[in-house]
């Protein structure tokens, strides 16, 4: 699944209030620290405006959403490979 597709879906879910963070101050702070970088191939990467800023809550939300969307499309890696133990 391409990151661009997930980003577009994520934006749609937020706009339609299917994803809500209830004005959480930590999420608001992380969102204000983030910029979106898009490379020549159309890949999307959340990035920090400045090095000391944190965007971890936004990245965690995007990671969870990517997993959710992959699972909806039957692309759950754990179904084909199983869990890896490190």
């Amino acid at each position: 699944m391409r990151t661009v597709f997930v980003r577009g879906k994520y934006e749609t879910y937020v706009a339609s209030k299917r994803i809500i963070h209830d004005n959480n101050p930590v999420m608001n702070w992380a969102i204000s620290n983030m910029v979106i970088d898009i490379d020549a191939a159309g890949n999307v990467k959340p990035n920090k405006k400045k090095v000391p800023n944190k965007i971890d809550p936004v990245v965690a939300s995007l990671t969870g959403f990517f997993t959710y969307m992959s699972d909806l499309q039957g692309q759950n890696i754990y179904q084909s490979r199983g869990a890896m133990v490190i």
Side-chain angles (χ1 to χ4, degrees):
M1 179 178 305
R2 292 200 41 179
T3 311
V4 174
F5 169 76
V6 173
R7 187 199 66 180
K9 280 285 195 184
Y10 188 84
E11 291 169 355
T12 302
Y13 274 51
V14 170
S16 66
K17 299 194 185 304
R18 292 179 70 184
I19 296 176
I20 303 171
H21 71 79
D22 291 334
N23 207 24
N24 179 288
V26 174
M27 184 63 97
N28 287 339
W29 173 70
I31 290 168
S32 73
N33 291 334
M34 189 182 81
V35 294
I36 297 291
D37 289 340
I38 303 174
D39 67 17
N43 297 311
V44 177
K45 176 186 168 195
N47 204 348
K48 302 176 202 175
K49 291 178 188 173
K50 297 179 182 170
V51 173
N53 291 341
K54 303 295 182 199
I55 60 171
D56 300 32
V58 179
V59 172
S61 177
L62 289 168
T63 301
F65 186 74
F66 181 83
T67 303
Y68 167 75
M69 293 303 293
S70 295
D71 198 44
L72 281 181
Q73 294 185 355
Q75 297 177 359
N76 187 331
I77 189 70
Y78 302 112
Q79 292 174 345
S80 61
R81 176 191 81 197
M84 292 180 69
V85 179
I86 298 175

